[in-house]
Amino acid sequence: MWIRQSGVRTCAAILLASVLLAGCSTLPQTPLDPKGPVAQMQTGLLLYTLYIAMGIGISVTAALLYVVFRFRARPGLTGVPVQIRGNHVLEIIWTVIPVLILVSVAFPTVEAAFSTAVPPEGAMTVRATGYRWWFAFEYPELGIVTANELRIPAGQPIRLELTSNDVIHSFWVPKLAGKTDMIPGRVNIAWIQADEPGVYLGQCAEFCGDSHANMRFQVRAMPPEQFDEWVRQRQAMAQGPSELSAVAARGRELFESNVGNCFACHAVDGTKAQGVVGPNLTDVGQRSTLAAGILENNYENLKAWVRNPADFKPGTTMPSHARLSEQDLDAIVQYLMSLK
């Protein structure tokens, strides 16, 4: 009796979990809510194979239960039951069925592999490079370099050239496409397309060190006319920062001097800061997040990040600036916030 009650409770728990997990498609990072053609094809293939696997599991379990109960030991029966071997009909059936299943899976798999391997004609190229622990995005046709927020026009395919500066990373935006490795010394090609404007969360999907979980980014799909306007504004930033307040101008001096020493690692278009070790900060003031997506971009968070990045991202190569006075930190932060 106790075993029967326990089995009922287990089945009820599995059923409840199934109902709750069915809501996972509303999560910000799920491949079950595809928003572009690549993700739609990959999700369709995933569900197709999942349904086949479920059918096999149910069929095998049902056959097993039938045999167990149909041919169980009964009171009064003794001896060994009749043994059956060499049933050619059954052997042919359970050989042909798996072959047909494999063939039915192979065709859509090959079709999806070829369809997602080559970007469509007219795709815009973006070079994405993985660093420990952030992403650089370069638009070679537009002359723009940014970091951690990839802006794209909705409805247009994007050809991605993926590589790494240090260790193996993996580019993954679950709602737009599956994972593609970013390997040092090699360029892997992939493509994405967002059918609708929106913000799509991505992150590194290959363990790459202490702050692997803090290596995130966003794909911000914009209406085409808004994207064109952003490109014009961003290209205008190549002339350098516009008018700065007195405090922000003091921050620029610190940023580009050996006091702040920020210019040694970071680039700001149109200035003497042309470092390539850290993220390009030309438009850092217009980004929604800091530190590769782990902090909201506001004054307080930016100041805390500049003061000591290791408080938020263990293992980061960005040094502490706690040696700077509060006035100098405020000046640098005001300068950075003005870059937009």
Side-chain angles (χ1 to χ4, degrees):
M1 178 62 74
W2 180 85
I3 295 177
R4 181 178 297 177
Q5 291 176 344
S6 177
V8 171
R9 285 196 294 269
T10 301
C11 291
I14 293 174
L15 180 62
L16 178 61
S18 301
V19 172
L20 294 176
L21 290 174
C24 288
S25 62
T26 61
L27 296 175
Q29 286 181 291
T30 171
L32 300 180
D33 185 24
K35 297 298 184 182
V38 177
Q40 288 167 359
M41 186 167 296
Q42 293 170 339
T43 301
L45 183 60
L46 167 67
L47 294 178
Y48 176 69
T49 53
L50 175 63
Y51 294 149
I52 290 179
M54 290 175 63
I56 294 174
I58 292 172
S59 300
V60 171
T61 302
L64 177 63
L65 292 176
Y66 172 78
V67 171
V68 167
F69 287 101
R70 174 68 177 79
F71 301 103
R72 69 185 185 278
R74 299 173 188 275
L77 292 179
T78 59
V80 178
V82 176
Q83 303 297 298
I84 300 175
R85 293 188 178 87
N87 189 318
H88 292 166
V89 175
L90 287 178
E91 290 177 352
I92 290 173
I93 290 175
W94 61 51
T95 300
V96 170
I97 290 178
V99 170
L100 294 176
I101 292 173
L102 290 176
V103 170
S104 71
V105 173
F107 276 102
T109 301
V110 173
E111 180 186 10
F114 278 97
S115 298
T116 56
V118 181
E121 292 289 332
M124 182 175 71
T125 297
V126 174
R127 294 172 183 158
T129 304
Y131 292 76
R132 290 186 297 177
W133 290 273
W134 57 280
F135 291 88
F137 298 116
E138 178 184 2
Y139 303 72
E141 300 158 356
L142 304 175
I144 295 173
V145 179
T146 186
N148 300 323
E149 289 190 4
L150 173 60
R151 295 174 186 259
I152 63 173
Q156 180 174 347
I158 307 298
R159 179 180 186 272
L160 296 169
E161 298 179 352
L162 304 171
T163 188
S164 171
N165 184 65
D166 36 53
V167 299
I168 297 177
H169 301 284
S170 186
F171 186 93
W172 186 35
V173 191
K175 290 192 175 185
L176 299 182
K179 306 169 185 176
T180 302
D181 280 350
M182 310 172 84
I183 302 172
R186 173 177 177 148
V187 177
N188 285 336
I189 304 299
W191 69 281
I192 59 173
Q193 177 179 315
D195 289 338
E196 304 170 359
V199 178
Y200 304 95
L201 303 184
Q203 67 181 78
C204 177
E206 181 78 26
F207 180 72
C208 54
D210 293 354
S211 280
H212 161 67
N214 296 323
M215 187 174 172
R216 310 171 194 171
F217 66 99
Q218 295 181 356
V219 177
R220 304 183 76 84
M222 311 166 72
E225 59 278 8
Q226 290 185 17
F227 177 79
D228 293 340
E229 178 60 25
W230 174 78
V231 170
R232 282 192 289 273
Q233 292 179 355
R234 187 61 181 75
Q235 289 175 333
M237 293 180 181
Q239 305 304 315
S242 54
E243 286 190 19
L244 299 173
S245 67
V247 177
R250 167 65 178 158
R252 177 177 176 176
E253 291 178 5
L254 293 167
F255 188 94
E256 298 176 358
S257 71
N258 291 329
V259 177
N261 206 29
C262 310
F263 73 103
C265 297
H266 297 284
V268 175
D269 293 355
T271 73
K272 63 178 288 188
Q274 294 298 315
V276 295
V277 176
N280 185 303
L281 299 179
T282 302
D283 59 357
V284 65
Q286 64 179 216
R287 296 174 194 163
S288 60
T289 61
L290 298 169
I294 63 175
L295 294 172
E296 180 184 353
N297 189 6
N298 58 45
Y299 192 94
E300 291 73 21
N301 286 343
L302 182 55
K303 185 175 179 180
W305 169 258
V306 173
R307 178 185 285 116
N308 191 12
D311 287 345
F312 305 94
K313 184 169 285 191
T316 180
T317 56
M318 180 169 168
S320 167
H321 291 80
R323 57 185 167 75
L324 298 179
S325 67
E326 287 296 308
Q327 291 80 6
D328 287 350
L329 280 174
D330 285 327
I332 291 176
V333 171
Q334 287 207 25
Y335 171 55
L336 294 175
M337 295 296 289
S338 73
L339 299 176
K340 54 185 175 183

